[in-house]
């Protein structure tokens, strides 16, 4: 069976006590071989959660980054700092970063160029086919950085409204054929937007869907395990 990815984005929704408790609970998850589980806690608790999950198969990734290396950027986080505490993968371009933190397409794509030329892997979130910078990807993709794409229609994020499987398949297939026409191979394409244990099985097994990026449901242990067990 093809590798499937479940990525939990905890955003800024959990305090320290609940984040650490959820990470402790996650230690008990028995992962199937063909399933990768990744979680993205808030920056503040990354180090603690890495330590809690160190001897498990669950990876800890970043929700975002600002720059590549150290410098005078107040409030910023760099890839080198994330690497120093043991991370090697980040989400980029989440619609909340774009809409609530004013990260423009240009800023996000500049960061995509940076991360593709680093040794970090990246999950690039897009809200429409047109938002994907295919040329930039083609010109910068190399073997040091693995790219994953995540289709996250803004209207479906945190709203309880999930895109229909037909719609998801249509967008994923369009992205997949463009990648194929550019001779870009092995790019997993995830779906994100109100995924829960009741809809995850159908979505995860749909054509051209390699996994799910989960917000709200990933912050609840029963919901998270429900999604994992639905595969
Ligand atoms: C997300 O934050 O990436 C997301 C998909 O959120 P939710 O699952 O809550 O819609």
């Amino acid at each position: 069976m093809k590798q499937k990815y479940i990525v939990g984005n905890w955003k800024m929704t959990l305090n320290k006590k609940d984040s650490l408790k959820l990470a402790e609970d996650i230690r008990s998850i028995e992962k199937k071989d063909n399933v990768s589980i990744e979680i993205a806690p808030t920056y503040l608790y990354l180090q603690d959660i890495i330590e809690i999950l160190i001897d498990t198969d669950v990876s800890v990734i970043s929700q975002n980054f600002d720059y590549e290396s150290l410098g005078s950027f107040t409030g910023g986080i760099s890839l080198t700092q994330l690497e120093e505490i043991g991370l090697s993968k980040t989400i980029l371009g989440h619609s909340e970063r774009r809409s609530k933190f004013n990260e423009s397409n240009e800023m996000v794509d500049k960061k995509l160029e940076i991360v593709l030329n680093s040794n970090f892997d990246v999950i690039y979130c897009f809200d429409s086919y047109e938002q994907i910078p295919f040329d930039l990807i083609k010109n910068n993709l190399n073997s040091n950085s693995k790219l994953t794409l995540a289709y996250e229609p803004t209207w479906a994020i945190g709203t309880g409204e999930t895109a229909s499987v037909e719609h998801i398949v249509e967008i994923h297939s369009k992205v997949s054929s463009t990648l194929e026409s550019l001779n870009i191979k092995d790019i997993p394409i995830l779906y994100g937007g109100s995924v829960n244990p009741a809809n995850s099985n159908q979505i995860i097994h749909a054509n051209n869907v390699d996994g799910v990026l989960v917000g709200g449901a990933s912050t609840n242990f029963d919901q998270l395990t429900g999604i994992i067990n639905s595969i």
Side-chain angles (χ1 to χ4, degrees):
M1 196 181 156
K2 257 185 99 183
Q3 189 69 20
K4 296 288 179 183
Y5 300 84
I6 296 177
V7 182
N9 172 17
W10 293 359
K11 314 189 186 199
M12 203 179 71
T13 58
L14 297 176
N15 63 19
K16 184 170 186 181
K17 185 169 151 276
D18 293 342
S19 299
L20 301 195
K21 164 85 172 66
L22 183 53
E24 288 287 355
D25 289 345
I26 285 174
R27 285 180 56 82
S28 68
I29 291 177
E30 282 191 25
K31 199 182 76 63
K32 297 177 197 147
D33 283 347
N34 65 316
V35 181
S36 288
I37 304 171
E38 294 166 4
I39 58 153
T42 187
Y43 290 132
L44 276 175
Y45 317 134
L46 278 173
Q47 182 100 60
D48 293 306
I49 292 177
I50 286 169
E51 279 162 26
I52 293 172
L53 294 174
I54 194 101
D55 54 354
T56 71
D57 290 328
V58 177
S59 307
V60 180
I61 69 171
S62 179
Q63 295 179 11
N64 191 32
F65 76 98
D66 297 297
Y67 289 92
E68 184 175 11
S69 32
L70 304 178
S72 299
F73 300 102
T74 304
I77 297 276
S78 73
L79 289 178
T80 50
Q81 291 170 319
L82 292 169
E83 187 173 25
E84 214 174 8
I85 60 163
L87 271 74
S88 58
K89 185 166 184 173
T90 183
I91 297 172
L92 175 66
H94 189 281
S95 67
E96 287 159 9
R97 295 301 314 177
R98 295 178 192 261
S99 65
K100 297 181 180 171
F101 292 86
N102 297 324
E103 290 193 18
S104 65
N105 288 347
E106 290 70 30
M107 286 162 75
V108 172
D109 292 351
K110 181 68 206 151
K111 292 205 276 185
L112 180 62
E113 190 176 344
I114 289 171
V115 75
L116 287 178
N117 288 289
S118 74
N119 48 11
F120 256 64
D121 295 340
V122 59
I123 301 175
Y124 177 91
C125 303
F126 64 97
D127 157 81
S128 65
Y129 171 85
E130 291 69 29
Q131 203 170 41
I132 305 174
F134 286 106
D135 286 344
L136 185 151
I137 291 172
K138 174 82 187 155
N139 293 335
N140 290 277
L141 202 58
N142 64 75
S143 55
N144 294 330
S145 170
K146 182 172 162 50
L147 171 68
T148 296
L149 296 174
Y151 174 46
E152 294 220 308
T154 306
W155 55 265
I157 294 183
T159 59
E161 279 182 59
T162 316
S164 68
V165 172
E166 292 72 29
H167 173 75
I168 298 170
V169 169
E170 184 190 333
I171 302 293
H172 283 223
S173 303
K174 196 169 167 190
V175 173
S176 181
S177 9
T178 304
L179 292 171
E180 211 177 304
S181 70
L182 294 168
N183 201 23
I184 300 173
K185 297 195 174 75
D186 300 326
I187 307 290
I189 309 175
L190 316 183
Y191 166 77
S194 298
V195 173
N196 60 47
N199 59 30
S200 52
N201 176 280
Q202 254 207 321
I203 295 172
I204 286 172
H205 293 294
N207 208 14
N208 285 317
V209 176
D210 297 292
V212 285
L213 178 48
V214 188
S218 75
T219 61
N220 174 291
F221 184 67
D222 291 340
Q223 300 246 323
L224 177 63
T225 48
I227 293 170
I228 294 166
N229 293 334
S230 76
I231 299 187

